[in-house]
Amino acid sequence: MMEFPAPASERDGGRWPRVGSLFTAAVVVPTLVAAAYYAFFSADRYVSESRFLVRNPHPPQATTLIGGLLESTGFSRSLEDTYVVQNYILSRDALAELEENLAVGAAFRKGGRDFLNRFPGLEWEDTFESLYRYYKARVSVTTDTASSVTVLTVSAFTAEDAYRINERLLVMSERLVNQLNRRAREDTMAHAESETQAAEARARAAAQALAAYRNRVSVIDLERQAALQLQEIAKLGDALFSARTLLSQVEALAPRNPQVSALRLRVRDLEREIAAESAKVTGAGGSLASKATEFERLTLEQEYARKQLEAALLALESARDHAQRQMLYLDRVVRPNLPATPIEPRRVRGFLVVVIFSLMLWAMLSLLIYSVREHRS
Amino acid sequence: MQGEPSFPDSLRVQLRVLGALSMREIVTRFGRDQIGFWWLFVEPMILTVGVTVLWSVFHGRTPVPIAAFAVSGYSMVLLWRSTVNSCIWAVASNTALLHHRNVKVLDLFISRILVEVAGSTISFFLLSVVYVFLGLMAPPVDLMNILVGWLALAWFTAGWALCWGAASTYGELVRIAWIPLGYFFFPICGAAFMVDWLPSKLQALALWIPTVHGVEMMRAGIWGSGVRAHYDIWFLLASCVIVTLLGLVLARGAAYRVDSL
């Protein structure tokens, strides 16, 4: 049972405010304005939608058990990288590129008589900043954290514009993802590559030093050459032994045999020969033993350099593998569509919202005014 | 019956009534001795400081500075809770005052709402200033966002408290129902989380709660673009209109019920 003040005609005039005028101001005027706007001014807007997924087919190995369980799905949808793409799409950089290639500013001006929604609309000035604000209202990027699919919608005054802007944004996002990939790969590979080059140079230097030394002292393989020499000496020793035996036998049986002096000569020759051969192996100066120290050192160095090169090559391989694993892909789940019909603005809905809320506002204000009127001095 | 008084005269009378009722409320609640009406905002300040300390200890690492998070969130909870608590007793403890011709049921609610909103606002303001001076909180990025967010929250709280206060005259059950509801409301009102931290399904649900929008808006004002705030001020204002209308209708019914007692 609500009592509202009687109509103005029944009361002694000049009181303020009348519910009638309040109703006009709070309900009739907004309703008429909304009706006029939706009927004559609002322009159709087409919405083009696409969906994409930023993912990493080989996620880095999980370090914890729980992490492993969570990531056992085979590929990880990298949310962080999705946010990077989101931020890029809503950036001034992206808008500047769109403006350069597609003249989005002009596209957003096509709103005809729609003074509210065309650019610059209610903005005070027509600058890049105001275009950026407008752009952020027309482009939306939202990521569903459960599936990590990102929905990109673009709303524009013609279907082609909406489609072209959406498509272009996707291409630009793909380029961004590729840039991120290239950067990551270059960073990981650069170090491994320089390491490998250094090891290669060292191995080559060691091999060259060894070859030069071999040429200089005319040694191919020290060990084998020494063995050969020793074999020679042993053979000579055998001959010496048999010569001596023969000599002592002949001397004992026939001391005046003419063979004796020949045998003596042979023994002396053999002894001299053995001394000369031994000197080649161990003696001072040009012997094999004196060459051994330097030769050993160079061989060791070459061995070491080769091991290092092997390790560096292995590291390079694993770095390449790692870079491959870190690759991100932007997968288009749903390609942008060329909208056939405008789905914005929703005129009936907007009009009803205005009517209902103005009625509620009016009811609220009349109740408040009525409660004030209950007080009398 | 003499001629109807003019609207400005009535308004003047009502404002005088509201002023007197508010002063009476403060004096009867806090007394005149010791720090008297200062309790009005010292009490929420102490509670908020307590919550700041608790959250700093137990929340560990949060994505945002905890002091500002606690002040923005808990001040709203206190505003909300104390206003409803005060309104559901407004008629029951002041029935005698209704014998005055110019004291109406709605005036009892409005005066209590004014007192509570003023107390919470002063507490929020002073604590923020103190925290900024102590370096616990960075100076806010956008004061306008905080102001509009807080005012919208205050309006929403007023409408909501009016609903509960008026409904409490219909039966004792309402007062009992409010107690669990008030506690249930704390984790979902937006004070203890930011929408961006939630999974997207929950985000959509959370954005149906009007107060979430106000808190998010205030936090956007406190931290600026450092956080992703999700809010729609028009949704909050529309909710304000709805609860206020509902509260006013319920209050009219309450007035008839109380008059006929």
Side-chain angles (χ1 to χ4, degrees):
Chain A
M1 275 190 293
M2 295 176 205
E3 288 177 37
F4 291 111
S9 55
E10 293 175 23
R11 289 184 277 124
D12 31 7
R15 279 186 207 97
W16 176 88
R18 290 175 206 130
V19 170
S21 59
L22 183 68
F23 188 80
T24 312
V27 181
V28 179
V29 173
T31 305
L32 288 179
V33 168
Y37 171 72
Y38 282 120
F40 302 117
F41 293 99
S42 73
D44 289 345
R45 288 200 304 275
Y46 296 80
V47 179
S48 173
E49 187 190 281
S50 63
R51 285 159 195 257
F52 63 85
L53 188 65
V54 178
R55 68 183 182 90
N56 181 348
H58 305 286
Q61 289 301 307
T63 46
T64 61
L65 183 67
I66 300 292
L69 285 176
L70 285 176
E71 287 180 3
S72 60
T73 45
F75 66 89
S76 86
R77 307 86 150 211
S78 40
L79 264 185
E80 289 144 47
D81 302 297
T82 308
Y83 288 136
V84 171
V85 173
Q86 259 192 33
N87 274 324
Y88 174 69
I89 288 176
L90 293 180
S91 71
R92 290 183 178 79
D93 271 4
L95 176 60
E97 194 178 328
L98 283 177
E99 176 69 27
E100 203 173 291
N101 293 308
L102 297 179
V104 280
F108 287 145
R109 270 175 235 271
K110 289 179 190 164
R113 283 173 303 183
D114 195 339
F115 54 89
L116 282 181
N117 282 314
R118 68 168 182 229
F119 180 75
L122 297 180
E123 294 279 357
W124 285 106
E125 43 190 8
D126 185 355
T127 60
F128 185 76
E129 276 308 304
S130 55
L131 180 63
Y132 179 56
R133 271 197 297 274
Y134 184 90
Y135 169 78
K136 281 199 291 186
R138 287 285 170 264
V139 173
S140 104
V141 207
T142 50
T143 303
D144 175 16
T145 45
S147 66
S148 75
V149 171
T150 305
V151 183
L152 169 65
T153 58
V154 176
S155 140
F157 291 111
T158 67
E160 287 76 26
D161 283 337
Y163 169 76
R164 280 190 309 155
I165 294 171
N166 199 322
E167 173 66 31
R168 186 81 199 184
L169 279 173
L170 276 185
V171 170
M172 281 156 56
S173 306
E174 268 161 4
R175 200 189 54 205
L176 176 79
V177 167
N178 289 339
Q179 252 169 28
L180 291 176
N181 280 336
R182 197 180 325 129
R183 182 66 192 275
R185 193 169 48 225
E186 276 164 8
D187 279 359
T188 14
M189 299 288 293
H191 180 69
E193 259 162 13
S194 74
E195 259 329 76
T196 316
Q197 275 163 8
E200 250 170 33
R202 202 173 312 154
R204 197 170 298 131
Q208 268 169 3
L210 189 61
Y213 185 74
R214 274 179 175 146
N215 276 339
R216 189 149 52 79
V217 302
S218 51
V219 171
I220 298 211
D221 189 324
L222 198 81
E223 306 252 318
R224 235 183 275 165
Q225 263 170 293
L228 225 60
Q229 293 281 354
L230 291 174
Q231 240 174 358
E232 196 80 359
I233 294 171
K235 252 189 244 163
L236 288 171
D238 280 352
L240 180 62
F241 179 69
S242 58
R244 273 194 184 142
T245 317
L246 193 60
L247 179 62
S248 61
Q249 278 173 359
V250 173
E251 266 179 340
L253 294 175
R256 259 169 290 163
N257 193 321
Q259 266 193 328
V260 170
S261 56
L263 275 172
R264 277 208 183 112
L265 202 63
R266 184 167 156 73
V267 168
R268 209 174 49 238
D269 273 357
L270 278 171
E271 276 170 354
R272 205 187 305 128
E273 196 73 9
I274 287 175
E277 286 299 316
S278 313
K280 271 195 202 159
V281 180
T282 54
S287 74
L288 282 175
S290 69
K291 289 170 194 163
T293 352
E294 181 68 5
F295 188 79
E296 262 334 272
R297 194 181 66 77
L298 286 172
T299 326
L300 205 66
E301 200 157 287
Q302 196 204 13
E303 196 81 356
Y304 177 65
R306 184 180 299 151
K307 285 259 162 66
Q308 227 175 8
L309 179 61
E310 271 167 23
L313 280 173
L314 219 64
L316 179 68
E317 197 56 39
S318 87
R320 194 169 287 150
D321 194 49
H322 195 67
Q324 203 68 30
R325 276 171 186 282
Q326 279 192 327
M327 284 282 265
L328 292 175
Y329 294 95
L330 192 150
D331 277 350
R332 296 183 177 203
V333 180
V334 177
R335 279 175 302 147
N337 63 318
L338 184 65
T341 51
I343 61 171
E344 282 179 356
R346 293 150 91 175
R347 294 192 170 82
V348 175
R349 190 171 180 271
F351 178 71
L352 283 180
V353 165
V354 170
V355 171
I356 292 168
F357 270 92
S358 52
L359 276 172
M360 290 205 308
L361 202 65
W362 166 76
M364 192 184 84
L365 289 175
S366 1
L367 278 170
L368 279 175
I369 289 170
Y370 181 64
S371 79
V372 173
R373 282 191 170 283
E374 281 182 329
H375 299 81
R376 44 192 83 212
S377 46
Chain B
M1 187 174 165
Q2 61 198 57
E4 283 207 23
S6 70
F7 184 80
D9 284 344
S10 299
L11 188 62
R12 223 167 289 134
V13 174
Q14 187 181 23
L15 289 180
R16 223 165 45 228
V17 169
L18 288 179
L21 282 175
S22 306
M23 284 322 292
R24 182 178 178 279
E25 169 69 17
I26 291 169
V27 171
T28 51
R29 186 126 61 99
F30 302 113
R32 289 182 190 279
D33 42 328
Q34 286 153 10
I35 61 170
F37 86 101
W38 284 54
W39 266 121
L40 183 62
F41 50 89
V42 171
E43 190 186 353
M45 276 171 80
I46 292 171
L47 282 172
T48 313
V49 169
V51 165
T52 311
V53 173
L54 270 183
W55 284 5
S56 310
V57 174
F58 290 114
H59 263 235
R61 291 175 56 78
T62 43
V64 292
I66 196 74
F69 184 72
V71 168
S72 57
Y74 204 69
S75 295
M76 191 277 288
V77 172
L78 281 180
L79 163 75
W80 171 276
R81 195 183 283 164
S82 62
T83 311
V84 177
N85 282 345
S86 161
C87 275
I88 55 179
W89 292 104
V91 176
S93 51
N94 284 319
T95 322
L97 288 177
L98 291 171
H99 289 296
H100 294 280
R101 191 174 54 138
N102 276 325
V103 176
K104 304 291 176 191
V105 171
L106 191 61
D107 296 339
L108 299 178
F109 293 133
I110 294 178
S111 60
R112 288 201 161 193
I113 289 170
L114 286 177
V115 169
E116 294 300 337
V117 168
S120 300
T121 307
I122 296 171
S123 148
F124 173 59
F125 175 74
L126 284 183
L127 261 190
S128 307
V129 171
V130 168
Y131 278 14
V132 168
F133 268 96
L134 288 181
L136 290 171
M137 205 171 132
V141 177
D142 187 350
L143 280 175
M144 195 64 192
N145 257 8
I146 303 180
L147 189 69
V148 173
W150 180 259
L151 287 181
L153 278 176
W155 180 8
F156 187 79
T157 305
W160 183 247
L162 192 59
C163 291
W164 281 94
S168 72
T169 62
Y170 290 73
E172 196 67 24
L173 203 62
V174 178
R175 252 174 246 150
I176 297 166
W178 167 248
I179 297 168
L181 276 177
Y183 281 103
F184 171 70
F185 179 73
F186 174 66
I188 65 165
C189 67
F193 62 84
M194 287 203 64
V195 174
D196 203 51
W197 305 346
L198 302 175
S200 35
K201 287 229 173 72
L202 280 182
Q203 280 185 12
L205 279 181
L207 288 176
W208 279 105
I209 303 166
T211 52
V212 169
H213 293 262
V215 180
E216 290 277 319
M217 185 170 182
M218 281 167 58
R219 286 181 176 157
I222 292 175
W223 292 306
S225 53
V227 290
R228 288 157 58 94
H230 304 250
Y231 65 88
D232 181 359
I233 184 67
W234 297 108
F235 178 80
L236 179 56
L237 290 180
S239 320
C240 288
V241 171
I242 293 173
V243 287
T244 311
L245 180 58
L246 188 66
L248 286 171
V249 171
L250 284 171
R252 286 232 62 80
Y256 281 108
R257 290 179 65 84
V258 173
D259 281 347
S260 59
L261 283 180

